[in-house]
Amino acid sequence: MRVSSKRNRLLSAAGISALAVFSGLFFWWNTNLLGDDEFCDGAVTSEELASVLDTKGRLSTTSSVGDSKPGFSCSVQRTSKFLGASPMEIQMRTAAQEPDFQFQTHVWKNPSAMSFFSNGSTGAVSDERGWVLLPETCQGKVATFSPSGSSSQTAADVRTVEAIVKQGTANRADLAKTLVKAAQRIAEEAGCAADGANEEPRLQAVSEAPTAPGAACGLAGFTLPPAALLKEEATVGKEQVSGSIPGTWACGMQLAGNAKGVIWFAASSDARIVDPILRKDTLKDLPGGVGVTDRDLNAAALKCGDKMVYFGMRWSDEYRSAVSDRGISVSHEMFQSFVDSAGKQYQCGVVQLPPN
């Protein structure tokens, strides 16, 4: 009887020990117990990343690059066991970008899907990526990185803190707050912090609706030239609008038809966006001193009251192919129509843009 009781006690102790080991492993696999408190060379905290990547799982660095200057490039992954949560991964870095990267470059090619900040820092986020501008005084003081490593900087480039969610999607508000805090830490370390840059951002909504006749992108009087619409290939469809006038605003016209083309329009009166654009060496003065136009792009910066306002247009490769195959040239007429309509919203005068 005593032998049986002793065996039961031993089995019970073994079971408790196994349960304790499993519990320890479970918390190790699915929480940041005894894990890092900071990531990306101290630019972000584990709490901030946990909010961006959800709270289920353990955070671990998969790559991290630093420099003698303030700045970073890193990847952080969230994994878990037995919880059924899919792995998530985020890449963050300080980067140097062309001044109008928000509207004209491939990576950020869909500005109408981004929620622009309406206060504090200048930035925007989507479910999968985001950016925040570093203060202009940070030029030359922050190391910047491209996806392949350290990057070169030109005098016209703007400095950013960027994030791309490689697996899964992020909560926009949490991603925006994390980017703003990371940018503030980097700027403080570099001695170029700006007042108000750490203010919690308010995000502007993104909306979708069918394109209204005579008021494309919600702009009274704005229509696409008849030649821009191609039977069965590219006709009036729906649109996505982000931001607000007279701040930073973008519209993506998603054309119906076989081409599945998209045309993006953008405008901004934010000096932190417009001033760097004015340093580009591809700009040409417009007659009468009313502004400048970009010789290489459908883009212009116009004097509207006491502000300079940026206007830009670009379209998808699918739409470009559709019009090119037919030998159609509509870019100047389309951009002029956009500037005429959007310019009224920004209190701009009438400006005749030269053809590219």
Side-chain angles (χ1 to χ4, degrees):
M1 193 75 173
R2 286 194 297 271
V3 172
S4 176
S5 177
K6 182 178 181 181
R7 184 173 66 241
N8 289 339
R9 287 197 300 273
L10 289 173
L11 289 173
S12 178
I16 293 172
S17 298
L19 181 60
V21 170
F22 178 79
S23 297
L25 288 173
F26 182 86
F27 280 104
W28 177 267
W29 287 327
N30 298 294
T31 71
N32 247 45
L33 179 69
L34 302 178
D36 294 332
D37 294 325
E38 296 179 341
F39 292 87
C40 304
D41 203 24
V44 291
T45 67
S46 59
E47 183 179 359
E48 291 160 0
L49 281 179
S51 69
V52 173
L53 299 179
D54 202 330
T55 55
K56 298 177 181 178
R58 187 169 186 83
L59 299 172
S60 58
T61 299
T62 56
S63 69
S64 183
V65 179
D67 193 273
S68 56
K69 294 180 181 179
F72 66 94
S73 175
C74 68
S75 293
V76 178
Q77 189 177 49
R78 187 214 68 187
T79 56
S80 64
K81 291 182 181 293
F82 310 116
L83 295 179
S86 300
M88 294 186 69
E89 183 179 4
I90 188 170
Q91 292 181 349
M92 297 185 67
R93 63 183 177 127
T94 47
Q97 296 283 5
E98 296 177 9
D100 49 3
F101 75 96
Q102 309 96 327
F103 312 119
Q104 294 287 355
T105 57
H106 175 72
V107 173
W108 308 97
K109 64 182 180 181
N110 189 5
S112 63
M114 309 290 290
S115 295
F116 293 98
F117 301 175
S118 62
N119 67 311
S121 299
T122 294
V125 293
S126 70
D127 298 336
E128 299 172 339
R129 61 183 69 236
W131 57 269
V132 172
L133 289 184
L134 286 166
E136 207 168 325
T137 52
C138 290
Q139 290 202 5
K141 299 178 181 180
V142 174
T144 58
F145 299 87
S146 67
S148 59
S150 60
S151 64
S152 59
Q153 305 175 5
T154 70
D157 287 341
V158 294
R159 279 58 171 170
T160 63
V161 175
E162 301 174 358
I164 299 177
V165 181
K166 304 295 289 186
Q167 291 179 281
T169 57
N171 176 278
R172 293 190 182 210
D174 289 333
L175 180 58
K177 287 186 287 188
T178 297
L179 282 167
V180 166
K181 289 179 180 178
Q184 181 68 9
R185 292 180 186 119
I186 290 296
E188 288 177 349
E189 186 181 353
C192 53
D195 292 339
N198 60 346
E199 187 178 350
E200 185 171 319
R202 292 191 299 272
L203 303 185
Q204 300 189 73
V206 175
S207 62
E208 292 188 0
T211 298
C217 295
L219 300 173
F222 179 36
T223 60
L224 297 183
L229 300 176
L230 312 174
K231 185 178 180 180
E232 297 182 353
E233 292 294 311
T235 60
V236 173
K238 61 182 180 179
E239 59 196 34
Q240 186 179 52
V241 177
S242 177
S244 61
I245 294 174
T248 300
W249 171 96
C251 172
M253 292 187 65
Q254 302 166 25
L255 302 177
N258 299 330
K260 301 186 185 302
V262 185
I263 309 171
W264 292 279
F265 302 92
S268 179
S269 61
D270 186 337
R272 286 170 287 191
I273 289 177
V274 180
D275 287 351
I277 293 175
L278 295 175
R279 296 196 295 264
K280 293 183 65 176
D281 57 11
T282 55
L283 298 178
K284 180 180 179 180
D285 290 334
L286 291 168
V290 297
V292 293
T293 184
D294 195 311
R295 297 190 299 269
D296 299 333
L297 303 168
N298 287 301
L302 306 179
K303 291 182 180 178
C304 304
D306 59 351
K307 289 186 175 183
M308 293 295 290
V309 178
Y310 167 86
F311 299 91
M313 179 189 80
R314 68 185 300 272
W315 50 51
S316 65
D317 291 340
E318 293 83 358
Y319 182 68
R320 186 185 306 278
S321 296
V323 296
S324 296
D325 290 346
R326 290 160 177 76
I328 297 172
S329 178
V330 293
S331 63
H332 175 258
E333 188 179 355
M334 191 185 301
F335 187 47
Q336 181 71 60
S337 177
F338 166 62
V339 172
D340 289 345
S341 300
K344 293 177 183 178
Q345 304 296 316
Y346 285 91
Q347 306 301 311
C348 306
V350 177
V351 176
Q352 187 62 42
L353 299 172
N356 289 353

